[in-house]
Amino acid sequence: MKIVDRVRSFAEPVVEQNGCQLWDVEYVREGGEWFLRLYIDKDGGVDIRDCEAISRAVDPILDAEDPIPDSYRFEVCSAGLERTLKRPSDFARYLGADVLVRLYQPKNGSKEYAGVLRGYEDGAVTVECGGTPMTFDKSEVALVRLRVDF
């Protein structure tokens, strides 16, 4: 079982007991250090108290379960307004929302497309850009995230 899946299995019930939803689990190397991050969400938004409470509740379980043999930093963060969409349920939840699609390679001269999320099927993402629907195959898409204009 992958580290993120193992952590998700024991962290998700704790997050839910604290009135939040577990949006994502990430285990990444940045600047020579490893980070384990839980991204959480809840109606009305997450604040620092939510992050702290969940961090304090999950930390002893991480020590007991010991899913990562190496040294790492543990963080609990808000999923954020411009969160990344990964699972089919994420795309279903945000149909009609403004998104940014980043591609691995340029298509029609651009690697980024901003528009309204109109569909998701078998990994293919359909976005309406300036009134024109565009569909990007799963193999083309590096990232899809919500987009907020301030």
Side-chain angles (χ1 to χ4, degrees):
M1 181 182 284
K2 291 169 51 176
I3 290 171
V4 294
D5 294 333
R6 189 166 167 209
V7 171
R8 178 182 292 279
S9 71
F10 61 75
E12 193 160 32
V14 175
V15 171
E16 289 173 356
Q17 288 168 3
N18 282 273
C20 296
Q21 299 114 0
L22 184 59
W23 182 261
D24 198 10
V25 178
E26 178 180 73
Y27 183 60
V28 294
R29 187 174 178 95
E30 294 175 357
E33 292 185 83
W34 284 97
F35 291 84
L36 174 64
R37 293 190 183 106
L38 303 183
Y39 291 95
I40 61 172
D41 192 23
K42 76 174 183 184
D43 292 339
V46 170
D47 63 28
I48 191 72
R49 290 180 301 267
D50 297 313
C51 295
E52 182 181 357
I54 291 168
S55 177
R56 289 179 192 267
V58 172
D59 194 46
I61 300 170
L62 281 169
D63 289 343
E65 293 286 332
D66 199 23
I68 304 170
D70 301 316
S71 175
Y72 63 94
R73 293 184 184 270
F74 174 54
E75 299 176 345
V76 178
C77 315
S78 165
L81 292 175
E82 293 189 323
R83 65 193 62 189
T84 301
L85 306 182
K86 294 182 178 181
R87 297 173 301 277
S89 60
D90 300 343
F91 288 91
R93 179 177 177 184
Y94 288 102
L95 276 176
D98 289 334
V99 295
L100 178 74
V101 177
R102 283 204 185 115
L103 305 177
Y104 291 112
Q105 300 294 321
K107 185 173 184 173
N108 301 328
S110 182
K111 286 179 75 173
E112 289 190 348
Y113 289 88
V116 177
L117 180 62
R118 294 295 182 212
Y120 180 83
E121 188 173 333
D122 297 326
V125 178
T126 301
V127 178
E128 186 178 316
C129 302
T132 303
M134 299 185 70
T135 300
F136 304 98
D137 190 65
K138 180 180 183 176
S139 64
E140 298 176 290
V141 177
L143 169 88
V144 179
R145 68 169 174 78
L146 295 178
R147 187 173 62 89
V148 178
D149 288 326
F150 294 97

